[in-house]
Amino acid sequence: MNAPVSPDVLLSVRHLDKFYGLNKAAARKMLKKGAGKDEILKRTGVTIAVNGVSFDVERGKIFALIGLSGSGKSTVVRCVNMLQRPTAGEILFDGRDVAQMPRDELRELRRTKVAMVFQGFGLMSHRDVLDNVAYGLDVRAPFGGFLHRPWRADRVDRAAEMIELVGLKGWERKPIDSLSGGMKQRVGIARALCCDPDLLLMDEPFSALDPLARRDIQFELLSIQKELGKTIVFITHDINEAFKMGDTVGIMRDGRIEQLGTPADLVLTPANDYVRDFVQSVNKTKFLSVKHVMVSPSCLIRDSADPLTAIREMGENDVSTAYVIGRGMEFMGVVTLNAALRARRENMSSVSSLVTREAPTVGQDVLIGDIIETATDTPFPLAVLNGKGHLEGIVSRAAILSCLS
Ligand SMILES: Nc1ncnc2c1ncn2[C@@H]1O[C@H](COP(=O)(O)OP(=O)(O)O)[C@@H](O)[C@H]1O
Ligand SMILES: [Mg+2]
């Protein structure tokens, strides 16, 4: 329970429970006996909102929490900044349990270390863009900031910098009401970033946006995150968004985390049918890479091989392309069955002159989405090479197309 937190971890949530309602002891008893959430609510009036949730968020990484409505996502983030007090468990921020923090430390945490971005924007419509962004600093400044001259200049500079960062330069003095939903959410992000927090908590920040605005702002957030290296807990109910944003993803159901892992983990080794169904519809080309779908080449020959050997090898393996390697295992290219048959007719001694040297090659870490076109244009599986130019595997068109579903 009290294992030390790795220095790489900014936020460690451990065995978190949050029950809403009075008769928590009775609810816990029923939970121990294996009763479900609905039954417990009916019998005790207690909602099991979060039940034994544990996860770590590494510094500079995005942790995405996904689940259906009511699965407990918002409650988890509300516990992280103590808008809700946990029923049990620990929430360690930089190694300190937020539930044990004295009031002034907690206030400092909320003001300067943890910022929140909601779906409903939470902006003040009577203030313009700049003032909304600077709001976070006003709260932080001594005596409200407005009256304090050095603070004021500082505040405008900082806010303007954040506004530029989210792509709203030129909009500083525009009223909030004149902005589109996507732009309002950019203001929300700029405001959250203004006091340079260590952790951003984002609760379905983009759910209200139309698909195009949403795609833009997802991209924007990812580039900001890359530039500033912020740690983010990102909540969503959209699996494609979770997989696009999250380095690690947790799938929640009825207050529990069904599985934690990278998008590739969840797709390739789902822990149960629920996870499998959940991730089934996702576009895998955006996060699966070549290494996830490559296989060993079934027909490998040396460049010194004679045409008959090449033909025999291809015949035995029931393929029409052989992958040719040189003395040092380096990839030379491919030989097709047709070329080998022709060479045999012409009595050539080796296949080396037949090798198609312009056969396209790919690296292991290239995303499937980035090689669809090449694979479609190439009549044989692509060769996968490592940094030394050695053949690591091959990736077939069928394997690539299966990621599209
Ligand atoms: N303040 C509250 N009082 C009582 N029940 C709540 C409260 N907030 C959330 N719940 C209940 O807790 C469960 C989890 O809710 P929530 O964390 O909002 O889920 P999500 O964000 O995944 O939609 C739901 O059953 C919800 O009805
Ligand atoms: Mg919610």
Side-chain angles (χ1 to χ4, degrees):
M1 180 101 184
N2 283 317
V5 183
S6 143
D8 296 338
V9 170
L10 177 65
L11 177 71
S12 182
V13 172
R14 298 174 172 198
H15 313 287
L16 177 69
D17 290 342
K18 177 67 192 178
F19 302 168
Y20 292 108
L22 293 176
N23 202 354
K24 294 190 175 64
R28 188 171 292 284
K29 222 180 240 169
M30 286 186 70
L31 199 59
K32 275 202 178 126
K33 284 188 184 149
K37 186 176 163 175
D38 293 341
E39 194 192 346
I40 295 174
L41 178 63
K42 205 154 68 188
R43 299 258 304 270
T44 66
V46 170
T47 300
I48 308 292
V50 176
N51 177 11
V53 162
S54 298
F55 59 88
D56 282 351
V57 186
E58 283 186 24
R59 291 174 204 275
K61 294 283 171 64
I62 302 183
F63 175 71
L65 200 53
I66 174 156
L68 301 179
S69 173
S71 57
K73 308 178 297 293
S74 294
T75 303
V76 169
V77 286
R78 281 195 224 113
C79 287
V80 169
N81 66 359
M82 289 295 285
L83 291 174
Q84 293 286 353
R85 177 161 278 283
T87 303
E90 288 178 309
I91 294 164
L92 304 174
F93 180 88
D94 239 340
R96 306 258 307 141
D97 190 349
V98 295
Q100 309 296 329
M101 281 183 185
R103 195 190 290 246
D104 51 345
E105 191 181 346
L106 188 59
R107 196 182 306 129
E108 201 51 28
L109 181 89
R110 289 202 193 117
R111 267 188 193 169
T112 65
K113 297 194 173 148
V114 179
M116 187 130 181
V117 181
F118 300 95
Q119 178 185 338
F121 314 122
L123 301 174
M124 295 162 296
S125 53
H126 60 284
R127 286 194 183 192
D128 62 20
V129 169
L130 190 107
D131 280 342
N132 265 281
V133 173
Y135 174 76
L137 293 172
D138 294 342
V139 176
R140 189 169 70 148
F143 313 114
F146 275 113
L147 306 172
H148 207 274
R149 280 205 145 267
W151 255 104
R152 204 186 148 90
D154 213 36
R155 155 187 184 274
V156 171
D157 286 352
R158 175 75 186 162
E161 196 185 315
M162 291 304 116
I163 289 167
E164 187 171 352
L165 187 69
V166 299
L168 287 180
K169 194 174 165 61
W171 289 78
E172 292 82 356
R173 287 304 175 196
K174 294 280 193 294
I176 286 295
D177 289 341
S178 65
L179 270 55
S180 69
M183 292 165 96
K184 284 182 187 163
Q185 201 53 286
R186 282 164 199 256
V187 176
I189 293 172
R191 182 176 63 186
L193 290 171
C194 217
C195 50
D196 197 23
D198 299 323
L199 178 66
L200 273 181
L201 300 175
M202 307 186 82
D203 192 351
E204 307 215 22
F206 308 148
S207 296
L209 305 180
D210 66 68
L212 281 183
R214 191 164 173 169
R215 209 182 54 195
D216 284 351
I217 201 167
Q218 288 168 343
F219 178 77
E220 199 89 38
L221 181 65
L222 285 173
S223 22
I224 289 171
Q225 199 266 346
K226 219 176 218 163
E227 189 175 334
L228 303 182
K230 292 290 171 202
T231 311
I232 300 176
V233 175
F234 188 99
I235 291 185
T236 175
H237 61 252
D238 173 348
I239 188 74
N240 279 300
E241 186 169 68
F243 278 18
K244 188 170 184 179
M245 305 305 290
D247 295 297
T248 315
V249 177
I251 297 188
M252 276 193 88
R253 177 198 194 183
D254 288 346
R256 299 189 66 84
I257 288 188
E258 292 283 328
Q259 190 172 358
L260 281 176
T262 63
D265 290 338
L266 299 182
V267 164
L268 297 172
T269 49
N272 52 42
D273 288 345
Y274 188 79
V275 174
R276 188 174 292 113
D277 288 349
F278 216 99
V279 301
Q280 184 202 0
S281 66
V282 83
N283 178 358
K284 303 170 187 70
T285 61
K286 299 275 172 54
F287 58 88
L288 286 187
S289 47
V290 166
K291 65 171 173 277
H292 295 124
V293 299
M294 71 181 192
V295 295
S296 310
S298 51
C299 185
L300 201 60
I301 56 172
R302 297 295 292 266
D303 60 340
S304 54
D306 59 79
L308 186 59
T309 309
I311 293 165
R312 202 182 295 132
E313 283 285 319
M314 286 187 253
E316 277 171 11
N317 291 293
D318 199 19
V319 292
S320 53
T321 314
Y323 292 77
V324 183
I325 52 170
R327 276 203 159 280
M329 293 297 286
E330 73 279 14
F331 176 64
M332 310 287 292
V334 300
V335 168
T336 62
L337 184 57
N338 281 341
L341 288 168
R342 199 175 58 236
R344 171 89 182 126
R345 278 198 305 273
E346 293 170 9
N347 282 322
M348 286 184 187
S349 61
S350 90
V351 297
S352 62
S353 61
L354 310 167
V355 173
T356 310
R357 291 182 201 276
E358 61 271 27
T361 63
V362 289
Q364 284 203 49
D365 294 319
V366 176
L367 288 179
I368 299 299
D370 294 336
I371 59 164
I372 293 175
E373 217 170 301
T374 316
T376 318
D377 292 344
T378 310
F380 42 81
L382 303 178
V384 184
L385 305 192
N386 66 15
K388 292 182 186 148
H390 293 174
L391 186 66
E392 299 265 279
I394 59 172
V395 53
S396 70
R397 223 176 325 180
I400 289 168
L401 294 179
S402 73
C403 298
L404 287 169
S405 59

